[in-house]
Amino acid sequence: MIVFDGVTKTYPDGTVAVDDLSLEAPSGKITVLVGPSGCGKTTSLRMVNRMIKPTSGTISLDGRDTSRMKEAELRRGIGYVIQHAGLFPHRTVLDNVSTVPRLLGVNRRDSEKRSMELLERVGLDPAFAKRYPAQLSGGQQQRVGVARALAADPPVMLMDEPFSAVDPVVREQLQDEFLRLQGELGKTIIFVTHDIDEAIKLGDQVAVLRVGGKLAQVAEPAYLLSHPVDDFIADFVGRDRGYRALSFQPTPRLPLAQERTVAMGEDVARLDTDWVLVVDERNHPLGWVEPRRVHGEVTSEVLHRGGTVARASGPLRAALDAALSSPSRRGVIVDDAGALVGTVRAHEVLTAIEDTDRPELEDPDHPGAASPAASGTSAPTSAASASSAAGTVSDASA
Amino acid sequence: MTWFIDHLDDVQARTLQHVYLAGLPLVLGLLIALPLGWLARRYKPLYAPFTAGFGLLYTIPSLALFVLLPGLLGTKILDPVNVVVGMTLYTVALLVRTVADGLGAVPEDVQQAATAMGYTRVKRFFAIELPLAVPVISAGLRVAAVSNVSIVSVAAVLGIPQLGLFFTDGFARAFYDPLVVGIIACVVLALFFDAVIVLATRALTPWLRATGARS
Amino acid sequence: MIPGIIDWLTDPANWSGPDGVPAHLFEHIWYCALALLVAAAVAIPVGLAIGHTGRGRFLAVNLAGAARAIPSLGLLFVLVLWLFPKLTGDSAFLVPTLIVLVVLAIPPIMAGAYAGVEGVDPAARDAALGMGMTGGQVLRKVEVPCALPLIFSGLRSATLQVVGTATIAAVVGTGGLGRFLIDGQKVQDFPQMASGALLVALLALGLDLLLALVQRGVVSPGLTGRTVRRGNTPVDVEIDPAGRTVDAPAR
């Protein structure tokens, strides 16, 4: 666990970068620091491994005050990933990843073996090992950056906008893989971003900072979306937050309709329905066809692939999106293996949403502002308790 | 000091000769290097032969160049033209690469934006690429200017009049005064050339000083 | 003129004795190598220190600029006059020559070293510190290897200037290839002078080539662009069904 206790950073010219920050980053969880530029999020991150020294306050790592540890030793025990990866251009990918183990005195063979495993783990072909950073794309460099930070198996990782320099498609991929990796590794992570969507997607806990380095609110993503404590947070978490909050609500039992299905190559011309769902031999949905426009057999060309597919056990947002995006207006719901379970209409999803209680409201005294992984009610931060009070007020007025 | 005051006319005359012999080649060399550097950038296969080839000129020792050029140009050994031609060659040798690299450092998106707005290739060169390459070219020109001043003085060994004659005079008579005056005059002249180029660059690149707005 | 050069260069008489090509060539290389070594021993550490700490840059840049402006011929004459009575034998000429060449070589070598360190990607330096390298380790393991291309470019530039300027040492009676220029000029022997000039140019090219080879061996391929063409950065590639990135086709 990383604990900020009254941490302030003031620069000699009087600029206050971070103002009296108290925050807990629970072990094994991702804590995201998010805020506009100039909110001190990067400064806060860099104070953890003492790349920047706090003016006052303490930061402790599993109860040890970091200011009493040797800098180089502290840093070798913390994985550090930065925006442009910061790979060493003169070293191969393999040597880059092996850097910290080699600094720690691990012999070349063992550290290289471990590095190869890590490359695979972050989704890079082993053929990349002998390449130089200049030969990699931005996304690949960032994967190497993550592998390098993981090389010495540090319990703690600091990540400073690691995915913001790559294009949106690759960013999405990297985020998904990062979550998968974290699911396997369970590191204690502090993650800095300016992108609230990324924060919501990745964070177990999101801390929003405002310009001047003040903590505005810290909460679980779902709570943050539904209970912004003030106009700044409400503005910052942005539009569509009601819709985005559905990402965190599990789908309740929906009234599923049985759907008539056909296989590829089947003749649908004589069917009198408007849309028919095409499935493969494992009953996995492939797409929709409109029988009156198909003359003869169903081929790959006539498939309408516009509709999204939602898992029955997934979030409500996916179920609603499946209904909204389906050309037949019937959202396709599948089981965890991807096989068709049935279809649902948008109004049925909306009814389900209305019937669902917003879970945060049931227990206003313990609204999930502190992570459930942190031991119960212990040591809620001042900002967090302030947020729960304000959250209730603003919610009542809404 | 008294020697300096007694020979003020001499110092003045030789300084002017030195300015001519070191300064004119700078201008000529820049004018020649601009199209050559542009060609080296425009046609990629030319880059290596141009930059390396003109760089070769720099390996010829100055003393040899001043002596051998009369044979090639049909001039007299004491003709200042030899020095002007030789120094121009050195300037070109230094600047072709600088100009090519300076033009190459102009961001691709800027060039494409200019093309998209309808600049012709020639107009784009004078309106966009050349102004943006000024800082790099000016850095190369400063090196050339300072080294020109020093190299010109070597021509004194052959007796061509300029500040270097103070060196040969002083050395022949084992007399420090002209030597020291000559060296100081050379350094001052080099710094003067440098300052002129710096000021001209500032005047040509007002956007480089307008950085305050961003931070 | 070219037949004259060929005649001179193929005359065996010019290739033997204390005034032959090998003797003067050896002297020339000796002066240049010694001057470059001394200059590098001074300029590289100072340049690295400036680049690493960011301190002293202003002073160093201006001193180097002033050093560049000192005319080599004038400095040589002053040093010979001043040191001649204090030194004996060959060193009376050798030491002033060396000082002139060292003064000439220091600015480009030092500029290469500090520009090289300053030019290191700040993200790489930040990452190095962040993963727990000490200041010295950052310098040794990241900054110096990354600065090598510019350090070599400074060294090569200094070599070209030193080899050319070493010829003027012959004016004060030192050896080296400059002898052919000075001696030839005295007797208006143009083939001898031209041959001397050619030899100097060839030596400069040869040493440059040698340094280029060393550079190729020492500098990481990750920095040279031999691995990738500039302006042709690879694109992000597809993910194959197994979830791994597919080898990017080099475009």
Side-chain angles (χ1 to χ4, degrees):
Chain A
M1 182 160 60
I2 304 164
V3 179
F4 289 77
D5 188 10
V7 175
T8 296
K9 176 66 189 180
T10 314
Y11 285 103
D13 65 356
T15 321
V16 179
V18 177
D19 191 1
D20 193 23
L21 176 70
S22 292
L23 180 73
E24 280 178 23
S27 299
K29 298 283 171 185
I30 301 172
T31 298
V32 179
L33 304 182
V34 66
S37 65
C39 73
K41 53 191 189 291
T42 294
T43 306
S44 303
L45 180 92
R46 286 163 65 90
M47 285 193 290
V48 176
N49 62 356
R50 298 188 67 76
M51 298 288 281
I52 296 174
K53 316 273 180 293
T55 311
S56 63
T58 57
I59 299 173
S60 61
L61 206 68
D62 292 328
R64 291 176 68 194
D65 182 349
T66 51
S67 65
R68 288 162 197 263
M69 299 166 74
K70 273 193 185 160
E71 261 171 31
E73 243 166 72
L74 169 76
R75 291 172 184 166
R76 285 170 200 178
I78 298 178
Y80 186 52
V81 187
I82 54 180
Q83 185 173 1
H84 294 286
L87 299 184
F88 304 139
H90 63 295
R91 293 190 177 181
T92 61
V93 165
L94 189 65
D95 290 342
N96 261 288
V97 178
S98 307
T99 305
V100 179
R102 300 283 293 140
L103 280 175
L104 291 169
V106 178
N107 69 52
R108 180 171 286 278
R109 260 195 42 185
D110 290 351
S111 55
E112 287 191 352
K113 191 165 156 260
R114 162 116 183 110
S115 301
M116 290 303 286
E117 289 166 16
L118 275 168
L119 284 180
E120 201 139 355
R121 201 147 201 185
V122 298
L124 273 178
D125 194 283
F128 282 91
K130 288 290 165 205
R131 297 220 189 160
Y132 287 93
Q135 294 168 287
L136 307 184
S137 68
Q140 290 162 347
Q141 290 190 14
Q142 208 49 263
R143 287 167 203 266
V144 176
V146 172
R148 183 173 68 174
L150 286 170
D153 200 18
V156 174
M157 300 260 286
L158 304 177
M159 308 182 78
D160 188 2
E161 306 225 12
F163 307 140
S164 55
V166 293
D167 70 71
V169 178
V170 176
R171 188 184 313 150
E172 187 114 10
Q173 267 173 19
L174 290 173
Q175 288 169 347
D176 291 341
E177 287 178 37
F178 168 63
L179 283 177
R180 173 183 58 76
L181 206 61
Q182 168 67 356
E184 295 168 14
L185 301 175
K187 303 283 183 195
T188 306
I189 295 172
I190 297 186
F191 189 109
V192 162
T193 180
H194 62 267
D195 176 2
I196 185 69
D197 289 318
E198 184 169 69
I200 301 260
K201 177 173 180 183
L202 300 181
D204 293 309
Q205 166 182 270
V206 176
V208 186
L209 288 92
R210 71 176 93 230
V211 176
K214 275 203 175 299
L215 183 62
Q217 184 172 2
V218 51
E220 286 174 27
Y223 188 85
L224 194 72
L225 288 172
S226 54
H227 299 83
V229 288
D230 57 21
D231 289 345
F232 166 73
I233 303 277
D235 211 37
F236 190 74
V237 297
R239 278 180 213 161
D240 307 331
R241 54 182 182 269
Y243 181 59
R244 288 203 313 245
L246 294 177
S247 304
F248 304 99
Q249 291 197 35
T251 309
R253 183 167 294 276
L254 292 166
L256 295 181
Q258 286 311 302
E259 193 67 35
R260 175 164 198 178
T261 62
V262 295
M264 274 300 217
E266 217 170 291
D267 191 341
V268 293
R270 286 183 302 123
L271 294 178
D272 59 351
T273 48
D274 55 346
W275 287 93
V276 182
L277 188 63
V278 183
V279 294
D280 64 10
E281 65 280 6
R282 293 178 301 165
N283 206 28
H284 288 198
L286 295 173
W288 294 89
V289 288
E290 229 176 337
R292 63 189 167 87
R293 300 209 180 183
V294 180
H295 307 292
E297 298 179 349
V298 175
T299 58
S300 183
E301 290 83 60
V302 301
L303 270 189
H304 190 293
R305 295 179 169 86
T308 57
V309 169
R311 280 184 300 119
S313 60
L316 269 170
R317 179 177 175 166
L320 183 59
D321 191 68
L324 293 175
S325 64
S326 168
S328 68
R329 302 286 173 208
R330 304 194 289 277
V332 179
I333 307 292
V334 297
D335 63 16
D336 284 345
L340 178 69
V341 189
T343 56
V344 67
R345 290 181 170 271
H347 69 84
E348 293 165 338
V349 182
L350 290 174
T351 308
I353 292 170
E354 287 193 353
D355 291 344
T356 314
D357 287 324
R358 306 177 79 181
E360 297 83 4
L361 290 179
E362 290 171 355
D363 185 7
D365 291 332
H366 179 52
S371 168
S375 52
T377 54
S378 78
T381 60
S382 55
S385 38
S387 79
S388 63
T392 322
V393 172
S394 77
D395 198 70
S397 67
Chain B
M1 199 62 194
T2 43
W3 188 91
F4 172 63
I5 291 164
D6 291 346
H7 294 78
L8 205 54
D9 287 351
D10 251 5
V11 174
Q12 203 178 15
R14 289 180 182 176
T15 303
L16 286 176
Q17 285 154 343
H18 210 104
V19 169
Y20 170 73
L21 292 176
L24 181 61
L26 270 186
V27 178
L28 293 177
L30 180 62
L31 289 179
I32 297 171
L34 279 177
L36 291 174
W38 180 81
L39 281 173
R41 175 53 54 186
R42 174 72 183 76
Y43 301 99
K44 281 212 173 94
L46 289 182
Y47 180 82
F50 265 42
T51 52
F54 286 102
L56 280 185
L57 290 173
Y58 210 74
T59 62
I60 306 171
S62 51
L63 196 55
L65 201 58
F66 296 150
V67 179
L68 296 174
L69 273 175
L72 296 169
L73 301 172
T75 46
K76 292 207 175 78
I77 185 98
L78 282 180
D79 197 331
V81 167
N82 303 326
V83 179
V84 171
V85 172
M87 296 317 299
T88 303
L89 290 178
Y90 284 141
T91 309
V92 171
L94 277 174
L95 287 184
V96 169
R97 179 185 293 271
T98 307
V99 170
D101 291 350
L103 293 175
V106 176
E108 184 69 21
D109 50 355
V110 171
Q111 298 193 34
Q112 293 192 354
T115 314
M117 279 184 263
Y119 275 103
T120 61
R121 180 163 288 156
V122 175
K123 270 203 150 159
R124 194 181 74 186
F125 176 78
F126 285 106
I128 310 289
E129 293 168 15
L130 190 56
L132 287 179
V134 162
V136 177
I137 296 175
S138 133
L141 202 59
R142 290 174 67 185
V143 173
V146 172
S147 80
N148 274 11
V149 172
S150 170
I151 296 175
V152 163
S153 65
V154 174
V157 175
L158 306 176
I160 296 166
Q162 29 72 25
L163 289 169
L165 282 188
F166 290 128
F167 304 156
T168 42
D169 287 355
F171 187 62
R173 295 186 284 149
F175 183 33
Y176 281 109
D177 288 6
L179 267 169
V180 173
V181 167
I183 290 178
I184 292 174
C186 273
V187 171
V188 169
L189 189 56
L191 297 180
F192 167 75
F193 274 176
D194 195 56
V196 168
I197 298 171
V198 170
L199 288 177
T201 308
R202 275 175 69 95
L204 287 172
T205 57
W207 62 89
L208 289 182
R209 275 168 291 144
T211 49
R214 287 199 57 175
S215 60
Chain C
M1 190 193 266
I2 290 169
I5 297 174
I6 295 174
D7 285 348
W8 193 90
L9 283 176
T10 49
D11 184 351
N14 293 326
W15 287 82
S16 60
D19 269 329
V21 171
H24 285 324
L25 182 67
F26 177 78
E27 286 162 358
H28 206 98
I29 294 175
W30 167 237
Y31 302 156
C32 293
L34 201 58
L36 284 167
L37 276 177
V38 173
V42 176
I44 291 181
V46 173
L48 292 179
I50 294 169
H52 182 71
T53 60
R55 262 175 266 165
R57 187 173 188 276
F58 182 80
L59 185 71
V61 168
N62 285 291
L63 276 181
R68 271 188 221 266
I70 297 173
S72 299
L73 188 70
L75 181 64
L76 178 69
F77 286 167
V78 167
L79 287 171
V80 171
L81 286 184
W82 181 48
L83 293 173
F84 193 75
K86 300 184 168 65
L87 299 166
T88 50
D90 280 350
S91 65
F93 294 111
L94 183 61
V95 171
T97 303
L98 276 178
I99 295 176
V100 168
L101 297 181
V102 168
V103 168
L104 189 71
I106 282 180
I109 300 179
M110 190 171 78
Y114 76 64
V117 174
E118 276 179 353
V120 173
D121 179 9
R125 193 180 289 128
D126 187 53
L129 277 172
M131 61 179 63
M133 287 194 192
T134 60
Q137 283 172 327
V138 173
L139 184 67
R140 279 200 315 279
K141 290 171 191 277
V142 180
E143 289 175 332
V144 170
C146 291
L148 278 179
L150 279 182
I151 293 177
F152 267 96
S153 126
L155 266 178
R156 289 169 66 177
S157 162
T159 304
L160 282 187
Q161 293 179 46
V162 164
V163 171
T165 307
T167 53
I168 63 166
V171 177
V172 294
T174 341
L177 293 170
R179 282 259 61 85
F180 297 124
L181 302 182
I182 299 297
D183 297 347
Q185 196 230 336
K186 273 182 195 140
V187 295
Q188 298 290 301
D189 179 355
F190 283 98
Q192 184 186 352
M193 294 186 68
S195 304
L198 188 67
L199 288 169
V200 174
L202 286 177
L203 177 61
L205 283 180
L207 289 179
D208 192 53
L209 196 68
L210 186 72
L211 281 173
L213 283 175
V214 175
Q215 178 174 4
R216 222 185 141 101
V218 173
V219 174
S220 157
L223 296 169
T224 55
R226 260 184 290 139
T227 48
V228 234
R229 295 233 182 110
R230 218 169 295 156
N232 206 357
T233 44
V235 289
D236 274 296
V237 293
E238 303 296 319
I239 304 283
D240 72 9
R244 290 204 301 214
T245 47
V246 183
D247 204 359
R251 290 207 296 174

